[in-house]
Amino acid sequence: MFQGRVSMHQWRCNMSSLIVCTDLRGGIGWHGKLPWVIPEEMRIFREYTFGKTLIMGRKTADSLRGALVGRENLVLTRDVNWSRAGFSTINESRMLELAQLENVVFIGGEEIYKLALSGGLVDRETPFGSWAYRDWE
């Protein structure tokens, strides 16, 4: 089990937001999975995202056991044949439209975070690594 320090970040700009949990080196995943299992971090994620529209990449969707209950699960993918129960696919222009709406949260992975930050969809003033870290065990 992971022991160390991670940081949970939330950015808000326009109406959409971004949530990410990183390790000390800014890592967000390891071999397609979260590198830690921290119940409090999962609780915070669940509370922050419940009832909202989530935008994620295909790899993030594939890493989940299933669609996240109580949320609309949207997947930005270039694979027109990708399909999974509980998930809907969107293209980049639809993502840009949705980013202007309230209750939209970008949840990863790396390519989605880069799109959201570089596209001005969320505030990029503060990089992931500069926030205060919290000890988790």
Side-chain angles (χ1 to χ4, degrees), residues 34-120:
L34 287 176
W36 52 78
V37 176
I38 304 169
E40 186 177 352
E41 183 266 333
M42 299 302 251
R43 181 189 56 76
I44 292 167
F45 177 86
R46 187 173 40 257
E47 287 175 2
Y48 184 77
T49 63
F50 196 82
K52 296 181 180 175
T53 298
L54 308 182
I55 296 178
M56 67 192 86
R58 186 215 23 100
K59 291 177 190 174
T60 297
D62 286 342
S63 75
L64 300 172
R65 284 187 244 163
L68 299 174
V69 176
R71 291 150 275 206
E72 184 177 12
N73 296 263
L74 301 180
V75 179
L76 178 64
T77 180
R78 293 178 202 94
D79 182 352
V80 296
N81 296 315
W82 189 89
S83 178
R84 191 166 171 207
F87 296 86
S88 299
T89 59
I90 58 171
N91 59 30
E92 196 167 335
S93 65
R94 181 66 179 139
M95 179 195 71
L96 294 172
E97 291 172 14
L98 290 167
Q100 304 306 311
L101 302 176
E102 192 169 353
N103 291 326
V104 172
V105 183
F106 294 93
I107 67 164
E110 179 183 7
E111 290 186 43
I112 299 301
Y113 290 140
K114 285 179 180 177
L115 277 171
L117 292 168
S118 67

